[in-house]
Amino acid sequence: MKKTGFFRSIHVKMVLIFALLITLLLQIIGAYFVRQLEATLLENFQTSIRERVDLLAYYVGEEMTKERNPNEDPTLEEAVYHLLRDFNQTADIAQVRVIEGSTLKIIGTSDPFNQGIVGQRTTDKFIWRVIATSDTNGDDETLIDPQTGNRVWILVRPVMADGEVIGAIHLTARKENVYTQMKSINSIFATGTVMSFGITAILTILLARTITKPISDMRRHALALSKGNFSRNVKVYGDDEIGQLAHSFNILTRKLQEAQATTEGERRKLSSVLSFMTDGVISTDRRGRVILINEQALDMLNVSRETSLSKPINELLGIEDEYSFEDLLEQTNSIILDYGKESKPYFLRANFSVIQKDSGFINGLIVVLHDITEQEKVDMERREFVANVSHELRTPLTTMRSYLEALTDGGAWQDPEIAPKFLKVTQNETERMIRLVNDLLQLSKMDTKDYTLNSEWVNLVEFYNRIIDRFELTKAQDVSFERKLLNYPVYVEIDTDKITQVLDNIISNALKYSPEGGKIIFSMTQGIGKIVISVSDQGVGIPKDKIEKIFERFYRVDKARTRKLGGTGLGLAIAKEMVEAHGGKIWAESTEGHGTTIFFTLPYNPSYEDDWE
């Protein structure tokens, strides 16, 4: 592709256009400032006069309340005239009058040629209103002088003494002077604006001719492409950016033609895949109405295609009372749909995926339906099994404990020293077994959240060490222990029985799957607002696709070996429930053939440790 010349570059042309637009913008800004200048001049005009009148009102009030000596002091009219004589020295003030409040007589005027009105009673409505209402702010109004036709500003300000209105000052100002200045400024800006408009219009027309024609051709070509016509090409007028764009348009046409053929092939493949999928698939538009549904979904929902299409997805799934379409867009977890009857359970799991563009615009929603009826039935059977076995075992274990207590207390064994100790150990193990059975019952209760924690503050480092010591003394295989615990006390509030059971389950699993000569690593680290505890072994590990399932009830990675070692498939499920009951999280990391690490966290707030110091 050839390089464009400097003067033929569309970039240069656009710069020129923007330069003209900026010139026009400056004119608009100038006009804006003219208006602001007008407002400022008027405000300064009025503010300046108000300040002078307020000062005059003060001095007039002093003269009006002053006690006069007829032989030495001038009369009130003479004193007021003396104050007003130098007041009318500016071109903005036409006349100032002083009116006595009780009689409404004019006692002074600044116009030396109009002194005849002194002593006359005024009939001005502004003066009457200010004095009658005792308005301390005064009154003002802009009027047209009937003699000259110019705008004048009338200002009436009260004369105050001891908080009362004793008179008024009536001022007439020549406001037309401000507008005369503004007319001159507006004339200058108007001339510049007209010139800018004219020059901008001419240059814009000339420059537009070199741009609009090829763009119009490309527009017609784009319309033809939208109708599926890929046979025509755009005419290339030059080597500038627009010419290169036209050339790219022609390349795009060929690419679109190829892409259309590829898309059509992929559409047929997708249609075939959707037809033979075992899962139900539903697609919606951006308003949540169904636009695609495969046969499996129709069968799962027991609906027809005619009634499904264009129907809102939440109504089709029967969840319109619980979820709106906006709720489904934010749904990250799957939803279990119960369509079963009392005699025939039927469950579907609905997974939702948002169809979203790179820009963030949502085009719709994809719903995948899985039939999980059998899985739900198995889970219910397992839960019933746990409850039934727990109830069945609790009675004989309690009876065993009673007999052992009787043997221990009765001294029926021959050896009075060893026999009681042996029976005591047996009794303790029986108690532990009863706690395990109670944990099975508790696991059943956890489904309904019907349980409580007996929490207490403990030093977690010391607590963890005691549990490790117990396992280290009783382990049967050749496995070494390595501790990587914190070297300072950490106090947390936990149910010691529950966390003991969590650690027992995790460490027991680590011992079961550790090879002879292996090593188990016990670690503890402090995070933000939590303590992280982990147990690592060097066993066979867990496959990547199964690691998320090990916390499910009755799930066993190696069923044959687990049963041989006496596992029930409940240990990690119980651990998960108990850790989450404490407000923590539990997870696993594993590399197949290199061992597994179980992590869990407990909430920790260092500020509470001040109570233990």
Side-chain angles (χ1 to χ4, degrees):
M1 189 174 295
K2 298 180 180 178
K3 294 183 179 180
T4 59
F6 179 76
F7 292 103
R8 291 184 297 175
S9 171
I10 189 68
H11 179 73
V12 175
K13 296 173 185 177
M14 295 303 297
V15 169
L16 292 175
I17 293 174
F18 276 109
L20 295 174
L21 292 176
I22 291 174
T23 302
L24 180 61
L25 180 61
L26 289 175
Q27 296 301 318
I28 296 174
I29 294 175
Y32 168 78
F33 275 108
V34 166
R35 290 195 297 271
Q36 295 300 315
L37 180 61
E38 178 181 347
T40 302
L41 289 176
L42 288 173
E43 182 179 356
N44 292 340
F45 171 79
Q46 295 179 1
T47 302
S48 175
I49 292 177
R50 287 180 188 275
E51 291 176 351
R52 297 185 63 188
V53 170
D54 289 342
L55 183 61
L56 177 63
Y58 173 77
Y59 288 120
V60 169
E62 292 288 329
E63 292 294 338
M64 293 178 70
T65 56
K66 179 180 178 181
E67 294 184 2
R68 301 183 177 280
N69 188 339
N71 298 324
E72 299 179 0
D73 296 329
T75 64
L76 176 62
E77 288 79 2
E78 292 174 345
V80 170
Y81 177 74
H82 179 74
L83 290 173
L84 297 177
R85 185 175 57 188
D86 297 329
F87 192 81
N88 194 21
Q89 298 297 322
T90 64
D92 293 332
I93 299 176
Q95 186 180 13
V96 182
R97 298 176 184 178
V98 178
I99 296 88
E100 201 274 327
S102 60
T103 62
L104 296 180
K105 291 183 178 180
I106 301 173
I107 59 176
T109 178
S110 64
D111 187 354
F113 305 103
N114 196 21
Q115 294 297 317
I117 66 173
V118 176
Q120 296 182 8
R121 187 180 178 88
T122 182
T123 60
D124 191 285
K125 62 179 181 179
F126 297 109
I127 298 175
W128 278 79
R129 184 160 59 235
V130 170
I131 295 177
T133 61
S134 299
D135 187 358
T136 59
N137 295 322
D139 199 357
D140 69 283
E141 187 176 7
T142 300
L143 302 175
I144 302 298
D145 190 339
Q147 297 179 356
T148 62
N150 295 330
R151 280 165 284 201
V152 295
W153 185 51
I154 306 299
L155 174 65
V156 179
R157 300 289 279 184
V159 178
M160 307 294 295
D162 297 328
E164 296 182 356
V165 178
I166 62 173
I169 296 176
H170 181 283
L171 179 141
T172 302
R174 301 181 182 92
K175 196 174 184 179
E176 192 66 28
N177 293 344
V178 177
Y179 290 97
T180 301
Q181 297 176 22
M182 291 308 306
K183 285 180 182 179
S184 177
I185 296 173
N186 287 337
S187 176
I188 296 172
F189 275 109
T191 302
T193 302
V194 170
M195 294 177 62
S196 298
F197 268 112
I199 295 172
T200 301
I202 294 172
L203 292 179
T204 301
I205 292 172
L206 294 176
L207 292 174
R209 290 179 180 176
T210 64
I211 300 174
T212 56
K213 185 173 179 58
I215 292 179
S216 298
D217 288 346
M218 284 185 280
R219 174 180 172 274
R220 288 191 293 271
H221 181 65
L223 291 175
L225 288 179
S226 66
K227 297 176 182 179
N229 182 8
F230 299 97
S231 60
R232 58 179 295 176
N233 288 326
V234 179
K235 183 179 179 180
V236 180
Y237 288 92
D239 293 331
D240 60 5
E241 284 88 345
I242 293 182
Q244 295 177 19
L245 178 60
H247 182 66
S248 300
F249 235 97
N250 294 331
I251 296 175
L252 177 63
T253 301
R254 293 192 294 271
K255 296 291 186 183
L256 284 176
Q257 190 171 12
E258 296 172 0
Q260 186 186 35
T262 303
T263 302
E264 183 63 23
E266 293 296 329
R267 188 191 65 80
R268 289 193 293 268
K269 293 179 183 178
L270 179 60
S271 177
S272 177
V273 170
L274 289 176
S275 299
F276 292 98
M277 282 184 65
T278 58
D279 295 329
V281 178
I282 306 173
S283 178
T284 74
D285 60 14
R286 61 187 180 89
R287 295 184 178 86
R289 298 189 177 275
V290 176
I291 58 176
L292 182 147
I293 182 169
N294 67 350
E295 292 295 333
Q296 287 73 17
L298 294 173
D299 294 339
M300 289 178 177
L301 299 175
N302 193 25
V303 294
S304 64
R305 189 178 300 275
E306 291 75 17
T307 58
S308 302
L309 295 177
S310 300
K311 191 173 185 179
I313 183 63
N314 52 348
E315 293 184 13
L316 180 64
L317 298 178
I319 55 175
E320 64 273 15
D321 294 335
E322 293 86 6
Y323 299 93
S324 64
F325 177 65
E326 290 73 18
D327 295 331
L328 296 180
L329 292 176
E330 299 176 357
Q331 186 69 27
T332 57
N333 298 322
S334 59
I335 295 177
I336 305 299
L337 307 174
D338 185 0
Y339 296 128
K341 300 178 181 178
E342 185 176 355
S343 59
K344 186 179 180 181
Y346 181 44
F347 296 94
L348 296 179
R349 176 185 285 117
N351 294 312
F352 301 90
S353 178
V354 178
I355 306 173
Q356 193 170 19
K357 294 183 177 180
D358 293 338
S359 61
F361 182 80
I362 295 177
N363 274 348
L365 189 68
I366 294 291
V367 183
V368 180
L369 302 177
H370 306 275
D371 187 348
I372 59 169
T373 303
E374 292 300 322
Q375 179 182 344
E376 287 294 318
K377 289 171 63 178
V378 170
D379 287 343
M380 287 189 292
E381 291 173 357
R382 286 176 176 175
R383 287 193 290 268
E384 291 176 1
F385 167 79
V386 171
N388 292 335
V389 170
S390 299
H391 282 292
E392 290 295 330
L393 290 179
R394 188 171 186 176
T395 301
L397 286 173
T398 304
T399 304
M400 184 186 298
R401 183 182 63 181
S402 300
Y403 274 100
L404 290 174
E405 287 177 351
L407 290 173
T408 302
D409 296 337
W413 295 93
Q414 296 295 327
D415 193 325
E417 295 182 359
I418 298 178
K421 294 181 180 178
F422 176 77
L423 291 175
K424 189 66 176 178
V425 172
T426 306
Q427 182 182 357
N428 291 338
E429 290 301 315
T430 304
E431 292 283 355
R432 188 179 67 83
M433 292 179 64
I434 292 176
R435 284 198 299 270
L436 291 176
V437 174
N438 288 334
D439 287 338
L440 288 174
L441 289 174
Q442 186 177 23
L443 186 59
S444 180
K445 291 180 181 179
M446 285 180 180
D447 292 332
T448 58
K449 303 300 181 184
D450 185 19
Y451 65 96
T452 57
L453 296 178
N454 298 318
S455 300
E456 59 179 304
W457 289 95
V458 298
N459 182 350
L460 190 59
V461 178
E462 182 181 344
F463 174 78
Y464 196 10
N465 271 315
R466 285 202 305 269
I467 295 176
I468 298 171
D469 290 340
R470 174 162 54 82
F471 275 94
E472 193 167 20
L473 291 173
T474 59
K475 62 183 176 66
Q477 62 266 56
D478 181 18
V479 177
S480 61
F481 285 4
E482 180 179 346
R483 310 186 195 201
K484 296 181 179 180
L485 309 185
L486 299 175
N487 56 4
Y488 53 88
V490 173
Y491 288 92
V492 295
E493 189 177 16
I494 59 173
D495 185 326
T496 55
D497 285 341
K498 300 293 188 297
I499 299 302
T500 298
Q501 187 172 353
V502 170
L503 289 170
D504 283 352
N505 290 337
I506 295 175
I507 299 174
S508 296
N509 284 342
L511 286 170
K512 288 177 184 178
Y513 292 98
S514 290
E516 290 292 329
K519 179 170 64 176
I520 298 178
I521 301 175
F522 303 91
S523 300
M524 179 187 296
T525 58
Q526 178 181 341
I528 300 176
K530 62 185 178 182
I531 294 294
V532 182
I533 299 172
S534 64
V535 179
S536 303
D537 62 53
Q538 296 177 342
V540 295
I542 303 171
K544 186 176 182 181
D545 58 336
K546 297 180 180 180
I547 195 167
E548 296 296 332
K549 301 179 181 180
I550 63 173
F551 295 100
E552 296 178 4
R553 298 175 185 182
F554 296 97
Y555 183 81
R556 304 178 182 90
V557 178
D558 186 347
K559 296 182 179 180
R561 182 174 181 182
T562 303
R563 289 194 179 96
K564 183 178 179 181
L565 295 173
T568 64
L570 291 172
L572 290 180
I574 294 173
K576 179 181 178 182
E577 295 288 347
M578 291 181 175
V579 168
E580 291 179 350
H582 282 78
K585 295 181 180 180
I586 187 168
W587 70 97
E589 295 179 1
S590 181
T591 302
E592 194 169 3
H594 293 83
T596 302
T597 301
I598 304 294
F599 298 87
F600 71 91
T601 65
L602 292 173
Y604 171 60
N605 189 342
S607 61
Y608 292 152
E609 291 188 347
D610 295 339
D611 298 335
W612 301 94
E613 293 181 355

